[in-house]
Amino acid sequence: MLSLVWAMAVALPRLSIDPRGNRQHFALALGFAIGVIVVAAGLHSRPLYIFGHELTHWLVAKLFRRRTGRFRVGLTRGSVLVEKPNIWIVLAPYFVPTYALAWIATGLLVHLWWTPPWYSTAFYGGLGLIFAHHLVLTLTTIADGQHDLLFHGRLFSIILIITGNIAVVYLALAALSGAPVHALRQLAVGFQQQREFLLFLWQSVYP
């Protein structure tokens, strides 16, 4: 997983969302920065995050055909009963930005009928804002201590969460770029750089 994180981190800056320029990159980054500031300042709805968190547990449980029970959402915590939860059901809310995915789906549908000049900037700016909401509150939730991370070990769970978040961002940008082949090639470059680095270390120790 760490190898995949390395490769994606190398490839992400090389993904071009729009071949005509970097306006979308700027809107995405600006939206994300504003979102981090707003959420860090406490101007957010924690119950909304909790609802999305528990909804993700429930949706992934249904994907794995697990039986679910009581669904509860409060001001500070929530829960959903799941029969025999696996690691993906337990950890999915920490790396699947449900609201951001819903924003992308809605934006693509709107794009079919209505595309004003400012649409692209608003879409990417909103995407950055919503993902910041997911990321900052996820980090806050983990810092507060979560029983979910103990099911399969805290270290493994955190590495999986990091990998999952970066993978979601990478796949989303690769899809929005309209050039998935280019995204795969850049990912291969990341793995190639790792190979060269490890070979350099090996030759340094055993010349």
Side-chain angles (χ1 to χ4, degrees):
M1 286 190 291
L2 292 176
S3 175
L4 180 59
V5 168
W6 182 346
M8 290 187 295
V10 169
L12 267 173
R14 298 191 176 102
L15 288 185
S16 178
I17 298 175
D18 186 347
R20 295 172 299 177
N22 294 319
R23 184 178 58 184
Q24 285 78 3
H25 278 113
F26 177 76
L28 189 68
L30 181 61
F32 182 81
I34 293 174
V36 169
I37 294 171
V38 169
V39 177
L43 303 175
H44 61 80
S45 174
R46 191 167 185 85
L48 183 64
Y49 170 79
I50 294 172
F51 174 77
H53 184 102
E54 302 305 332
L55 177 63
T56 306
H57 278 309
W58 185 86
L59 289 172
V60 177
K62 291 304 181 183
L63 287 176
F64 283 97
R65 298 187 177 184
R66 297 292 200 272
R67 297 172 67 178
T68 58
R70 185 179 58 188
F71 188 106
R72 299 180 62 184
V73 175
L75 295 177
T76 59
R77 64 182 59 207
S79 64
V80 57
L81 295 179
V82 178
E83 178 187 48
K84 298 179 181 179
N86 59 29
I87 190 169
W88 304 109
I89 297 172
V90 172
L91 297 181
Y94 300 94
F95 60 83
V96 176
T98 303
Y99 292 132
L101 295 178
W103 175 266
I104 291 173
T106 303
L108 292 177
L109 286 175
V110 171
H111 181 69
L112 294 176
W113 293 282
W114 190 49
T115 54
W118 48 265
Y119 172 82
S120 182
T121 301
F123 173 77
Y124 285 103
L127 182 60
L129 184 71
I130 294 171
F131 186 75
H133 178 268
H134 157 76
L135 189 61
V136 174
L137 286 180
T138 294
L139 292 174
T140 303
T141 301
I142 292 174
D144 290 341
Q146 278 293 309
H147 185 63
D148 291 342
L149 274 63
L150 302 179
F151 276 86
H152 300 277
R154 184 176 294 274
L155 179 60
F156 177 77
S157 297
I158 289 176
I159 293 174
L160 179 59
I161 289 168
I162 293 172
T163 306
N165 273 286
I166 296 178
V168 167
V169 172
Y170 192 84
L171 290 173
L173 293 182
L176 292 171
S177 70
V181 174
H182 173 73
L184 288 175
R185 287 174 179 168
Q186 295 307 317
L187 197 60
V189 170
F191 285 116
Q192 178 64 25
Q193 287 189 6
Q194 291 178 58
R195 177 183 176 278
E196 293 173 356
F197 177 72
L198 294 175
L199 185 60
F200 168 77
L201 291 181
W202 177 265
Q203 292 175 344
S204 298
V205 176
Y206 301 102

